[in-house]
Amino acid sequence: MASFLRTTSRIRPLARLNAYRSITTTSRSAANAAAARMPEASSGEQPFFPDEPPAPHIRTAIPGPQSKKAIEELHTIFDTRSLNLLANYQNSYGNYIADLDGNVLLDVYAQIASIPVGYSNPSLLLAATSPEMASSMINRPALGNFPSHDWATILKTGILAVAPKGLDQVFTAQAGSDANELAYKAAFMWKRRQERGGADVDFTAEEISSAMNNKAPGSPELSILSFSSAFHGRLFGSLSTTRSKPIHKLDIPAFDWPQATFPHIKYPLEEHVEENAREEQRCLEETENLIKTFHHPVCAVIVEPIQSEGGDNHASPDFFRGLREITKRTGTLLIVDEVQTGVGATGKFWAHEHWGLTEPPDMVTFSKKAQTAGYYYGNPELRPNKPYRQFNTWMGDPARALLFRAIIREIERLNLVQNTAEVGDYLFAGLEGLSRRYPDEIRNLRGKGQGTFIAWDSPRRDDFLKKAKTVGINIGGSGERAVRLRPMLIFQRHHADILLEATEKLVSS
Amino acid sequence: MASFLRTTSRIRPLARLNAYRSITTTSRSAANAAAARMPEASSGEQPFFPDEPPAPHIRTAIPGPQSKKAIEELHTIFDTRSLNLLANYQNSYGNYIADLDGNVLLDVYAQIASIPVGYSNPSLLLAATSPEMASSMINRPALGNFPSHDWATILKTGILAVAPKGLDQVFTAQAGSDANELAYKAAFMWKRRQERGGADVDFTAEEISSAMNNKAPGSPELSILSFSSAFHGRLFGSLSTTRSKPIHKLDIPAFDWPQATFPHIKYPLEEHVEENAREEQRCLEETENLIKTFHHPVCAVIVEPIQSEGGDNHASPDFFRGLREITKRTGTLLIVDEVQTGVGATGKFWAHEHWGLTEPPDMVTFSKKAQTAGYYYGNPELRPNKPYRQFNTWMGDPARALLFRAIIREIERLNLVQNTAEVGDYLFAGLEGLSRRYPDEIRNLRGKGQGTFIAWDSPRRDDFLKKAKTVGINIGGSGERAVRLRPMLIFQRHHADILLEATEKLVSS
């Protein structure tokens, strides 16, 4: 028994989930009680997390003395040069992230846009402490070989309950980067099947032997087309489609795959309608031309609804509808990468719902706020013609699929997609006001009508991000110049007011 | 509150963890009580899981009627063509996996070698229901930016507590495939840094612009060398080093990277000493020659201690020591892929401990039984010269790191590495007896002195695997001909007896 005592005695009991709440144990009944205190859906000012701090609270420089010491210790075993804040998650709650020195910040970065419904969310705590979750954690299956008897139910009541329109199947993964790579693999297999003449045509002896040598025809020289300044992940295949920043790509071998120019449009959109339409048309023509002429045939086009790492670059629904038409016309698959835009942040569950497509994308990839990952698809031909072609040991994670189900239920219970649409409009209006008063500081404000998925360019961006911490805001950047807002779906007007006030303080100083 | 009730009422309470046990709730105290009933380390027949079924129990054909129905339902939304058994994990316990029709099988495949200490292990259940775990599950950090204040402690008391000798740092990942790719990226960055003249030499303008176009010199044409019949994963980079089976590789673009021949040695080893030594020498020479001449310079060599997917192919410690010498001599990194061999299965915590290296590998990758993943390293030059070069959103998973810590403690508490070494010897001796009596059915028996990491070639392998279920054994294959044993670390002599008896039944029929 010694080891159990060791395990439990070392742990600081979740105790009070943070300094502001009354949960004194983590038992399910206590979590239940806390959950019961959360209000039903609210469109106005009733807080979703009633015991949230009323405001940020900054006690020390960040990092403070405690954090500095701990970071030094961590650095000896784990690279901390990208460390932004040493967090104390037991003390983080709702929209607020706490650090080790007792500083509490309003978090509009949310773990690079991946926390959906608040830190220490009581509903998620219930799900995380359920018997079903415990079994999933300790009995992790090789999903392709030994799925659990209730895997269909978990998918249907979770991941597939929010499947994009027209897509009713899923292949699960672990993170956005591998979700994209799995979609690419599906695209390559689909393409070769077309070329080969159908699912029943077998591989040739030459294909089989050349594949083992990484050579064509078995390892074909096919490609995925992506856009300039896109981000699709950092594994070898996904990185070959990522064009965000040199530091992401330098020194890593890449496939010779094509990139088309993503439209450089001007903001505010309503003042540059014709100019932007011409630019988008130009990019669509370039895309179609590349698909038709690139020396390694293009099997699929991948695109983000908003380029969320490479600068928060937008394009109009017309552009994306045009892309759908071109891919259809050229027999190319369209993969929409909703890893960052998905799960409510743009005021729709999936950002591509803003486009009014008449035909769905071929595949939609997801992760981050879903806390799991994968790609949705509908066309049965996107299932490879034989088993074990799209396969790996874990093929996803039922524990995280259960968590996504709990997240979906919380989003529905509190009507959080609508909340995000409304609060986004409110926040955008406030920022528009600030950008009129401080036009040099808040440039190219964008994301109108896209929920809280808002960004602007700053002439001193890195400095802005750093100083934001001194006024209690944790905020991130996108690309070289943009300040990106990625609050959680539980971000409300009173949080927007705090953010607006802090932003004014920063841009006016 | 409706959604909470929905969440919890649907769940079949873990109830009895399975039909054979007395845990009637999943509260921590009940788990604690169950854990208390588990014995301290035992070298003999005292069972680790006292309430395990005494033997397999087969009631129906597999799949049985219930499973068939459920598989049909699952297939409409999730590809089930590689499905092997539809499991009921709530009823699985210790070494035994249960299905939906009430069949209970001795599991010597263990989720493709990834379950370390038994299904529904009470010690893991304690860890999985701890407050620390709950917070980790619901507050998942972007580890590179916002690690938790106790991340250093979690690493030191978990992942790094079992770091291979000479390697004291880790970069965490999510699965074996991405762990290998991250190691490759570290290797490429290291190599270019050498070529560039050190950490302080900056990128050239040409490197920066060419990298954005996936072209050299920014995206260099460098390579990773792997061996014939190796398996290192199925993402685009890792798949380019995988040479196990055509079905893993067909239709997927691959990098033009070299493969050296893995020794084709003869078993039993003691009868072919000189012949095998010559073969290994030949392969070492080929490897060195490829490193020196391949048209895309080789930055690293990756090798499995036992080729665990591509046929359970072994080589001698001499071969691996030779590989270490060659890589040293040629300024090439040596990456040892312990994704499947690591965490005790060969009777040492890491399989490469069998080699008696005087200098450790440069990197060791791990996953599967660790339930998390990453690569260990020691040389500080393997940290890239700038932040954000080796980076992604989650960079691992603290929840799974906590689980690995609990696994490590369970292994130590029950002395499971030694158990595996001893039971492996016992099992191997039994199989040697069978192979003498049935030499045509059990060929090339291998894995002597390698714990339970044992395999043999079967002239009717797929049939053997299938029929094994009818006698209550869940067992897997490796490569084209091998039957591979991958029992858990809690596999004991009395389980070995059941396996031996079943094997005899199958090979004699």
Side-chain angles (χ1 to χ4, degrees):
Chain A
M1 282 305 301
S3 70
F4 303 129
L5 295 174
R6 258 206 328 272
T7 310
T8 47
S9 67
R10 176 174 300 122
I11 299 166
R12 265 173 36 125
L14 253 198
R16 294 169 304 140
L17 259 177
N18 64 39
Y20 308 93
R21 300 183 61 229
S22 58
I23 290 184
T24 52
T25 90
T26 52
S27 71
R28 288 178 57 70
S29 62
N32 234 321
R37 300 181 53 200
M38 296 190 73
E40 294 296 320
S42 151
S43 63
E45 284 307 294
Q46 197 182 0
F48 293 131
F49 281 65
D51 299 318
E52 244 188 351
H57 180 62
I58 300 301
R59 299 167 42 140
T60 73
I62 295 177
Q66 303 272 12
S67 297
K68 272 189 181 159
K69 217 176 114 194
I71 293 167
E72 219 165 273
E73 186 198 347
L74 179 58
H75 192 72
T76 61
I77 51 172
F78 193 83
D79 190 347
T80 60
R81 287 170 302 170
S82 57
L83 192 143
N84 190 316
L85 185 102
L86 194 76
N88 182 329
Y89 291 105
Q90 283 90 338
N91 288 351
S92 301
Y93 187 57
N95 291 277
Y96 287 87
I97 186 167
D99 79 358
L100 198 52
D101 291 278
N103 299 297
V104 178
L105 293 84
L106 180 66
D107 191 357
V108 296
Y109 195 22
Q111 307 302 324
I112 317 182
S114 72
I115 296 286
V117 293
Y119 292 115
S120 305
N121 179 299
S123 303
L124 297 201
L125 184 57
L126 265 183
T129 53
S130 70
E132 202 175 11
M133 182 68 81
S135 179
S136 286
M137 281 297 289
I138 66 179
N139 299 321
R140 186 171 187 178
L143 271 173
N145 283 161
F146 305 96
S148 168
H149 67 286
D150 54 0
W151 183 229
T153 304
I154 292 170
L155 288 174
K156 283 182 184 173
T157 57
I159 293 174
L160 284 171
V162 292
K165 206 177 135 191
L167 309 182
D168 60 359
Q169 301 192 42
V170 69
F171 192 93
T172 48
Q174 295 206 81
S177 197
D178 72 302
N180 283 336
E181 293 217 345
L182 291 165
Y184 300 171
K185 289 176 77 169
F188 289 125
M189 289 187 271
W190 171 86
K191 179 73 166 187
R192 290 292 297 127
R193 168 183 178 155
Q194 309 281 314
E195 292 176 346
R196 209 173 265 129
D200 299 329
V201 184
D202 221 337
F203 309 114
T204 65
E206 193 194 357
E207 283 176 324
I208 288 171
S209 64
S210 57
M212 297 306 281
N213 283 316
N214 293 5
K215 293 279 201 299
S219 304
E221 294 193 322
L222 300 172
S223 69
I224 305 290
L225 182 147
S226 60
F227 288 93
S228 56
S229 50
F231 185 90
H232 301 294
R234 300 181 65 162
L235 299 165
F236 283 83
S238 52
L239 187 62
S240 294
T241 54
T242 284
R243 314 278 181 166
S244 44
K245 288 181 180 173
I247 199 73
H248 297 160
K249 292 173 71 74
L250 275 156
D251 294 350
I252 313 299
F255 289 107
D256 183 12
W257 290 353
Q259 66 176 318
T261 310
F262 193 79
H264 293 273
I265 66 173
K266 293 188 177 164
Y267 309 92
L269 301 177
E270 53 276 22
E271 290 174 23
H272 302 86
V273 174
E274 279 185 32
E275 206 177 341
N276 287 343
R278 273 197 304 276
E279 168 69 357
E280 290 185 342
Q281 190 52 40
R282 183 183 75 83
C283 294
L284 286 174
E285 282 162 17
E286 186 187 325
T287 304
E288 181 159 11
N289 191 41
L290 273 169
I291 290 174
K292 289 177 175 166
T293 63
F294 193 74
H295 51 280
H296 295 154
V298 176
C299 299
V301 171
I302 184 163
V303 70
E304 298 157 274
I306 297 164
Q307 292 194 322
S308 315
E309 293 291 330
D312 270 47
N313 309 310
H314 292 247
S316 75
D318 274 345
F319 174 76
F320 293 104
R321 284 194 296 263
L323 211 51
R324 175 69 287 192
E325 278 166 30
I326 288 170
T327 47
K328 266 300 183 203
R329 194 158 63 227
T330 55
T332 312
L333 299 173
L334 178 63
I335 304 171
V336 177
D337 177 341
E338 292 249 26
V339 169
Q340 189 157 169
T341 52
V343 191
T346 69
K348 305 234 183 229
F349 201 93
W350 302 107
H352 75 269
E353 293 170 35
H354 288 283
W355 304 342
L357 293 179
T358 51
E359 198 157 349
D362 296 291
M363 292 183 263
V364 172
T365 60
F366 64 97
S367 186
K368 288 200 190 273
K369 285 190 179 61
Q371 295 283 301
T372 178
Y375 65 88
Y376 293 107
Y377 66 106
N379 181 354
E381 290 187 7
L382 285 172
R383 277 195 190 181
N385 68 338
K386 291 173 195 282
Y388 287 103
R389 301 195 67 191
Q390 188 77 296
F391 187 87
N392 57 68
T393 297
W394 284 324
M395 289 194 6
D397 182 349
R400 297 287 174 183
L402 287 172
L403 195 68
F404 187 26
R405 183 169 75 180
I407 290 164
I408 292 165
R409 287 175 179 172
E410 186 72 345
I411 289 172
E412 286 169 357
R413 186 176 74 88
L414 297 173
N415 205 4
L416 293 178
V417 179
Q418 194 187 322
N419 172 71
T420 300
E422 290 170 3
V423 174
D425 288 346
Y426 176 79
L427 176 60
F428 195 90
L431 287 166
E432 267 183 324
L434 286 180
S435 76
R436 276 191 294 270
R437 295 214 295 289
Y438 307 96
D440 288 342
E441 294 291 329
I442 298 183
R443 303 176 184 176
N444 298 323
L445 181 69
R446 48 203 187 263
K448 189 172 187 171
Q450 299 285 322
T452 54
F453 217 95
I454 296 169
W456 67 83
D457 291 337
S458 162
R460 43 173 182 151
R461 197 271 311 268
D462 291 350
D463 186 51
F464 179 94
L465 301 181
K466 205 172 162 193
K467 283 203 177 131
K469 284 205 175 57
T470 65
V471 296
I473 309 289
N474 186 42
I475 194 166
S478 177
E480 299 297 338
R481 281 175 303 277
V483 174
R484 66 168 148 174
L485 303 188
R486 297 293 189 272
M488 306 162 194
L489 308 178
I490 52 156
F491 189 78
Q492 294 178 282
R493 283 182 189 227
H494 61 278
H495 304 114
D497 289 334
I498 293 169
L499 175 61
L500 288 165
E501 194 182 320
T503 302
E504 175 149 27
K505 202 178 288 178
L506 292 168
V507 298
S508 66
S509 68
Chain B
M1 281 306 301
S3 70
F4 303 130
L5 296 175
R6 258 206 329 272
T7 310
T8 47
S9 66
R10 174 176 299 122
I11 300 166
R12 268 174 34 126
L14 256 195
R16 295 170 302 141
L17 259 178
N18 65 39
Y20 308 93
R21 302 184 61 230
S22 59
I23 290 184
T24 52
T25 88
T26 53
S27 71
R28 289 178 57 70
S29 63
N32 234 320
R37 300 180 53 200
M38 298 190 70
E40 293 297 321
S42 152
S43 61
E45 283 307 293
Q46 195 182 1
F48 294 130
F49 281 65
D51 299 317
E52 247 189 348
H57 179 62
I58 299 300
R59 300 166 41 140
T60 72
I62 295 177
Q66 303 271 13
S67 297
K68 272 189 182 159
K69 218 176 112 193
I71 292 168
E72 220 166 89
E73 186 198 346
L74 179 58
H75 192 71
T76 62
I77 51 172
F78 193 83
D79 190 347
T80 60
R81 287 170 301 170
S82 55
L83 192 143
N84 189 317
L85 185 101
L86 194 75
N88 182 329
Y89 291 105
Q90 283 89 340
N91 289 351
S92 300
Y93 188 57
N95 290 279
Y96 287 87
I97 187 168
D99 78 358
L100 198 52
D101 292 277
N103 300 298
V104 177
L105 293 84
L106 180 66
D107 191 357
V108 296
Y109 195 21
Q111 308 300 326
I112 316 181
S114 71
I115 295 285
V117 292
Y119 292 114
S120 305
N121 179 298
S123 302
L124 297 201
L125 184 58
L126 266 184
T129 52
S130 71
E132 202 176 11
M133 181 68 83
S135 179
S136 285
M137 281 297 289
I138 66 179
N139 299 321
R140 185 171 188 180
L143 271 174
N145 283 161
F146 305 97
S148 168
H149 67 284
D150 54 1
W151 183 229
T153 305
I154 293 169
L155 288 174
K156 284 182 185 174
T157 57
I159 294 174
L160 284 172
V162 292
K165 204 176 137 193
L167 310 182
D168 59 359
Q169 301 191 42
V170 68
F171 192 94
T172 49
Q174 296 205 82
S177 196
D178 72 302
N180 283 337
E181 294 217 344
L182 290 165
Y184 300 172
K185 288 176 76 170
F188 289 125
M189 290 187 269
W190 171 86
K191 180 73 164 187
R192 290 292 296 126
R193 169 185 178 153
Q194 309 280 312
E195 292 176 347
R196 209 173 264 127
D200 298 331
V201 183
D202 220 337
F203 309 115
T204 65
E206 192 194 356
E207 283 176 323
I208 289 171
S209 63
S210 58
M212 297 305 282
N213 283 316
N214 292 5
K215 294 279 201 298
S219 305
E221 295 192 322
L222 300 172
S223 69
I224 305 289
L225 181 145
S226 60
F227 288 92
S228 55
S229 49
F231 185 90
H232 302 293
R234 299 181 64 162
L235 299 165
F236 283 82
S238 53
L239 187 62
S240 294
T241 54
T242 283
R243 315 277 181 167
S244 43
K245 287 181 180 174
I247 199 74
H248 296 161
K249 294 174 70 73
L250 276 155
D251 295 349
I252 312 300
F255 288 107
D256 183 12
W257 291 353
Q259 66 174 319
T261 311
F262 193 80
H264 293 272
I265 66 174
K266 293 188 177 163
Y267 308 92
L269 300 178
E270 54 275 24
E271 290 174 23
H272 302 87
V273 175
E274 278 184 34
E275 206 178 342
N276 287 343
R278 273 197 305 275
E279 167 70 356
E280 291 186 341
Q281 189 53 40
R282 182 184 75 84
C283 294
L284 285 174
E285 282 163 17
E286 185 187 327
T287 304
E288 181 159 9
N289 191 41
L290 272 169
I291 291 175
K292 288 178 174 165
T293 63
F294 193 74
H295 52 280
H296 296 154
V298 176
C299 300
V301 171
I302 184 163
V303 71
E304 298 157 273
I306 297 163
Q307 292 193 321
S308 316
E309 293 291 331
D312 271 46
N313 310 311
H314 292 247
S316 75
D318 274 344
F319 173 76
F320 294 104
R321 284 195 296 263
L323 210 50
R324 175 69 286 191
E325 277 166 32
I326 288 170
T327 48
K328 266 301 182 203
R329 195 159 61 227
T330 56
T332 312
L333 299 172
L334 178 63
I335 305 170
V336 177
D337 177 342
E338 292 249 26
V339 169
Q340 190 157 165
T341 52
V343 192
T346 69
K348 305 232 183 232
F349 201 94
W350 301 107
H352 74 268
E353 292 170 37
H354 289 282
W355 304 342
L357 293 179
T358 52
E359 197 158 349
D362 296 291
M363 292 184 263
V364 172
T365 60
F366 63 97
S367 186
K368 288 200 191 275
K369 285 190 179 62
Q371 295 282 301
T372 178
Y375 65 88
Y376 293 107
Y377 67 105
N379 182 352
E381 289 185 11
L382 286 171
R383 277 196 190 182
N385 67 338
K386 290 173 195 283
Y388 287 104
R389 301 194 68 191
Q390 188 77 295
F391 187 86
N392 58 68
T393 297
W394 285 325
M395 288 192 8
D397 182 349
R400 297 286 174 184
L402 288 173
L403 196 69
F404 188 27
R405 184 168 74 182
I407 290 164
I408 292 165
R409 287 174 179 172
E410 186 72 345
I411 290 172
E412 286 170 357
R413 186 177 74 87
L414 298 173
N415 205 4
L416 293 178
V417 179
Q418 194 188 323
N419 172 71
T420 300
E422 290 169 3
V423 174
D425 288 347
Y426 176 80
L427 175 60
F428 195 91
L431 287 165
E432 267 184 325
L434 286 180
S435 75
R436 275 191 296 270
R437 294 215 295 288
Y438 307 95
D440 288 342
E441 294 291 329
I442 298 183
R443 303 176 186 178
N444 298 321
L445 181 68
R446 49 203 185 264
K448 188 172 187 172
Q450 300 284 324
T452 55
F453 217 95
I454 296 169
W456 67 85
D457 292 336
S458 163
R460 43 174 182 149
R461 198 271 311 269
D462 292 350
D463 185 52
F464 179 94
L465 301 182
K466 206 171 161 193
K467 283 203 179 131
K469 284 205 175 53
T470 66
V471 295
I473 309 288
N474 187 42
I475 195 166
S478 177
E480 299 298 337
R481 281 175 302 278
V483 174
R484 66 169 147 173
L485 302 188
R486 296 291 188 274
M488 306 165 196
L489 308 178
I490 52 156
F491 189 79
Q492 296 177 281
R493 283 181 188 228
H494 60 278
H495 303 114
D497 289 334
I498 293 170
L499 176 62
L500 288 165
E501 193 183 322
T503 302
E504 175 149 29
K505 202 178 290 176
L506 291 167
V507 297
S508 65
S509 68

